[in-house]
Amino acid sequence: MEITEVKVFPVDEEKLKAYITIVFDQCFVVRDLKIISGAAGLFVAMPSKRRKDGTFKDIAHPLNQQTRAHMEKRILDAYLAEIKKPVQQSNPLSAEDAEKRADKDEG
């Protein structure tokens, strides 16, 4: 299974840097991944859902470290390329606006 597309939706927040949508084999989409700025640098957070007890549980995630590393590299490379674009091409949005844009683009 290959990642055939990575869509980056930059946001203008302190820790949340972007929402990500990835497509596998041009036929399966996973939305709402996040690029987070943590103490050790940038990392990719998988889509998750809040449980009744207030904790979060991943909805989709890699089953092994090799797959996780491959996904993170592709996603972080796409994010870094996106933020290096000139400002008029890559305007960071608020988190809410980025989610709306991602839903509209994907809908």
Side-chain angles (χ1 to χ4, degrees), residues 37-98:
S37 179
L42 296 175
F43 69 92
V44 178
M46 295 297 138
S48 60
K49 176 177 160 181
R50 185 185 297 262
R51 301 170 89 186
K52 290 180 182 179
D53 66 3
T55 61
F56 287 88
K57 181 82 172 171
D58 285 350
I59 295 170
H61 59 88
L63 295 179
N64 59 58
Q65 187 55 39
Q66 179 182 359
T67 303
R68 181 177 296 277
H70 174 71
M71 287 178 64
E72 285 182 346
K73 180 171 180 3
R74 285 288 312 273
I75 292 166
L76 290 173
D77 286 351
Y79 168 72
L80 294 172
E82 180 69 24
I83 64 170
K84 287 181 182 176
K85 289 180 180 178
V87 176
Q88 67 232 52
Q89 290 181 357
S90 175
N91 280 334
L93 304 169
S94 70
E96 182 179 333
D97 289 342

Side-chain angles (χ1 to χ4, degrees), residues 1-9 19-33 44 46-47 60 67 70-72 74-75 78 102 105-107:
M1 187 158 37
E2 283 297 315
I3 297 172
T4 53
E5 187 174 2
V6 178
K7 293 182 181 180
V8 179
F9 304 94
Y19 285 98
I20 304 293
T21 295
I22 57 175
V23 178
F24 291 98
D25 295 334
Q26 299 178 345
C27 65
F28 189 82
V29 65
V30 179
R31 294 185 176 107
D32 293 330
L33 290 91
V44 178
M46 295 297 138
T67 303
H70 174 71
M71 287 178 64
E72 285 182 346
R74 285 288 312 273
I75 292 166
D105 287 353
E106 315 278 321

